[in-house]
Amino acid sequence: MGYVGNTSVSLVLGSTTVAALTSIGWTGAGQEPVEVTAFDNTGNAREYVRGLIEWGEIPFEANYLPANASHTPSTSGLLFELTNAGTRTVLSFAMPDGATTHTFPVILSNVEISPMNPGTLQKITGTFKVTSAGTLA
């Protein structure tokens, strides 16, 4: 059974919650097959083996709150600090059922703030690259 989107999903980096989260996803894990065909293969067909697991990406979106410590557009702001430093951190997001939490080691591959337009809410968006196996519990 799937979840109906609501405001009870939270995104935590280390011990800091990203404020005003409006969207989060996970592209999922997958593997690219690796071709191992050789000239002496029999059967006149290509051969493949399983490739390494690619753990995907975690895109997110939040309402932009420049005074919030997780959004501050300076090196003291969590998201911008992670982008500048390139350090790996632990990302967790809790599902609406309150019992399921997904945890991944990640690096922040990009973060951006939407343009400021009259009458519209600014957003902060970004993408985390999952660097190795996570926990889906």
Side-chain angles (χ1 to χ4, degrees), residues 7-20:
T7 58
S8 67
V9 176
S10 61
L11 171 61
V12 179
L13 296 169
S15 60
T16 304
T17 300
V18 175

Side-chain angles (χ1 to χ4, degrees), residues 9-18 21 24 58 89-95 100-106 128 135:
V9 176
S10 61
L11 171 61
V12 179
L13 296 169
S15 60
T16 304
T17 300
V18 175
L21 185 70
I24 188 165
I58 299 172
T89 190
V90 174
L91 175 148
S92 298
F93 61 94
M95 299 305 287
T100 306
T101 301
H102 301 322
T103 304
F104 300 94
V106 297
F128 293 96
T135 303

Side-chain angles (χ1 to χ4, degrees), residues 7 9-11 17-23 60-65 68 70-71 121-124:
T7 58
V9 176
S10 61
L11 171 61
T17 300
V18 175
L21 185 70
T22 59
S23 174
F60 73 94
E61 179 182 84
N63 294 331
Y64 179 50
L65 305 173
N68 185 279
S70 63
H71 296 190
L121 186 62
Q122 266 188 298
K123 298 284 187 173
I124 186 167

